[in-house]
Amino acid sequence: PEHQQLIVDSGALSHLVNLLRRHKDSSISRAVISVIRRAADALTNLAHENSSIKTRVRMEGGIPPLVELLEFTDTKVQRAAAGALRTLAFKNDENKNQIVECNALPTLILMLRSEDAAIHYEAVGVIGNLVHSSPNIKKEVLAAGALQPVIGLLNSCCSESQREAALLLGQFAATDSDCKVHIVQRGAVRPLIEMLHSPDVQLKEMSTFALGRLAQDTHNQAGIAHSGGLVPLLKLLDSKNGSLQHNAAFALYGLADNEDNVSDFIRVGGVQRLQDGEFIVQATKDCVAKTLKRLEEKIHGRVLNHLLYLMRVAEKPVQRRVALALAYLCSPDDQRTIFIDNNGLELLLGLLGSTSTKQQLDGAVALYKLSNKAMTLSPMDAAPPSPTPQVYLGEQYVNNATLSDVTFLVEGYTICLPIVLMLATGK
């Protein structure tokens, strides 16, 4: 930062901006092209994480020539110009507005379709910074046709472009319900789910972020689960990365809102994963608790009927998962139907004889939970507490020095009481 400021204070910005304008010269040599590219790179480095220098670049007139260079014939210059705009747009609203006013969006969107990964990576980065915390610019970006090329970048060979595209889709889906639906309709869900299996933690973090935003729509919730998103999201609850773990928990919270997903949640052991998980931050713990509550509220009607059907016909491991989940989630009123009429109790007792200590523990805890619920319905509740004892003594026992055992001096007044009265009232 000290070097950034020294260079700018020495008057370098105006010279660098003038070098950018040399692309308008009638004849441009390779050396001049190289100088233009290096001038754009210099502006990027000078403005990096420096709010005041970003503003000074705009005041020196640096944004218009950078936007013009997006259409320059040399791809390295295009990439350098986009990189500079990306830096200048980050957390600077005036710079964002001027970039858009200079009509950068059409060219940036064309660059998204470039086969050169370095170019589409910088272009999606610029658009991401323009959209961030700027709902009006987001609308302009969508109106300019950015949605489909951004979705296309989810299949890029460049993981950084994939990550930026997923982040951008999450931003597009933040508030606009129609956009959430359009993103799914245009083919984003499948590649986002594939990213959940990536070894790249940041890529998984951005895909869970996007899926969590998309999962705020009812039909998207069913579509994400149907496309195979449920199991990898549950596995990511084991992540040691707090942000990734929380994004996964938030996405699961969205999926749990749809009745069509509840049986799948339970069938794959999702309830046990939510209960057994070790969560890093309190916000994730709260989110998981809300997800379990959401599932509990849906255990009735056709959801309960489907779960009872699974307890009758599914494979034994699935039957046991259903019985375990219902021990925690079912209403006390449904216990007889589930655990007596449909053999749920037999499934839980069977776990106690398992060779797996984990299954034994799960079965024992579920039975304990079940017995506590049964107690709430038992007619043999504890007897009501005894009424508060009342003691009635005649006036002759109060302030009678002969019949009293203890004398109190309170604020100048003398009070005489028999000890039997003190014991009876607990005073």
Side-chain angles (χ1 to χ4, degrees), residues 235-254:
K235 287 181 178 178
L236 289 177
L237 294 178
D238 296 332
S239 170
K240 303 304 179 186
N241 179 289
S243 296
L244 175 55
Q245 189 185 65
H246 183 71
N247 285 354
F250 182 71
L252 290 166
Y253 174 68

Side-chain angles (χ1 to χ4, degrees), residues 28-333:
I28 302 179
S29 65
R30 296 304 304 172
V32 172
I33 291 173
S34 179
V35 167
I36 294 171
R37 174 171 60 83
R38 291 171 187 275
D41 288 340
L43 288 174
T44 300
N45 292 340
L46 288 171
H48 180 66
E49 295 185 356
N50 193 314
S51 177
S52 62
I53 292 178
K54 289 177 190 177
T55 298
R56 287 184 65 174
V57 171
R58 183 183 77 251
M59 301 302 291
E60 292 283 351
I63 289 178
L66 285 170
V67 172
E68 292 170 4
L69 288 170
L70 294 177
E71 299 186 39
F72 195 70
T73 53
D74 186 274
T75 56
K76 291 182 178 179
V77 172
Q78 292 177 24
R79 187 178 67 218
L85 290 171
R86 178 181 188 163
T87 298
L88 295 173
F90 185 65
K91 294 184 178 180
N92 191 304
D93 290 341
E94 292 80 5
N95 284 4
K96 291 181 186 182
N97 291 333
Q98 189 172 83
I99 291 168
V100 174
E101 288 164 5
C102 289
N103 201 33
L105 291 182
T107 307
L108 288 169
I109 291 170
L110 288 174
M111 293 169 73
L112 293 176
R113 299 181 185 274
S114 171
E115 294 182 2
D116 186 332
I119 289 180
H120 64 232
Y121 167 67
E122 293 294 354
V124 74
V126 180
I127 293 173
N129 287 348
L130 290 172
V131 165
H132 183 68
S133 301
S134 301
N136 290 333
I137 293 178
K138 182 174 80 169
K139 291 177 182 177
E140 291 191 53
V141 167
L142 288 169
L147 186 55
Q148 196 61 52
V150 170
I151 291 172
L153 288 180
L154 297 177
N155 294 308
S156 169
C157 60
C158 170
S159 62
E160 292 178 329
S161 294
Q162 289 180 297
R163 185 180 70 238
E164 293 289 339
L167 173 60
L168 188 49
L169 289 174
Q171 292 172 325
F172 285 158
T175 54
D176 188 332
S177 179
D178 288 342
C179 192
K180 289 184 180 72
V181 175
H182 296 161
I183 291 169
V184 173
Q185 289 172 331
R186 288 167 174 260
V189 168
R190 186 77 59 184
L192 285 171
I193 291 173
E194 289 174 1
M195 289 181 196
L196 299 178
H197 301 282
S198 169
D200 186 331
V201 173
Q202 289 185 318
L203 188 57
K204 289 189 286 194
E205 183 182 342
M206 290 304 102
S207 61
T208 52
F209 168 72
L211 288 168
R213 292 288 182 86
L214 294 174
Q216 304 311 300
D217 174 87
T218 301
H219 297 295
N220 289 355
Q221 291 159 1
I224 292 168
H226 178 74
S227 298
L230 189 56
V231 171
L233 285 170
L234 286 167
K235 287 181 178 178
L236 289 177
L237 294 178
D238 296 332
S239 170
K240 303 304 179 186
N241 179 289
S243 296
L244 175 55
Q245 189 185 65
H246 183 71
N247 285 354
F250 182 71
L252 290 166
Y253 174 68
L255 298 185
D257 192 39
N258 192 306
E259 284 190 353
D260 290 325
N261 292 340
V262 175
S263 298
D264 286 335
F265 244 103
I266 292 173
R267 183 175 55 80
V268 300
V271 172
Q272 284 75 42
R273 279 189 176 271
L274 291 169
Q275 290 171 332
D276 297 343
E278 297 181 5
F279 305 112
I280 297 168
V281 297
Q282 186 60 44
T284 307
K285 296 176 185 177
D286 295 341
C287 187
V288 167
K290 290 178 181 178
T291 302
L292 287 168
K293 185 65 176 175
R294 214 170 228 192
L295 292 169
E296 181 180 355
E297 290 168 351
K298 290 176 170 51
I299 306 297
H300 56 80
R302 66 185 180 92
V303 173
L304 179 56
N305 288 336
H306 187 206
L307 291 171
L308 294 176
Y309 175 75
L310 289 176
M311 280 177 54
R312 293 195 301 271
V313 305
E315 299 285 336
K316 185 64 74 175
V318 173
Q319 291 180 355
R320 288 172 172 171
R321 287 176 199 145
V322 173
L324 284 170
L326 289 177
Y328 288 90
L329 302 180
C330 77
S331 165
D333 295 336

Side-chain angles (χ1 to χ4, degrees), residues 402-415:
T402 303
L403 300 176
S404 297
D405 301 299
V406 182
T407 300
F408 296 94
L409 184 63
V410 182
E411 297 182 355
Y413 294 94
T414 300
I415 301 174

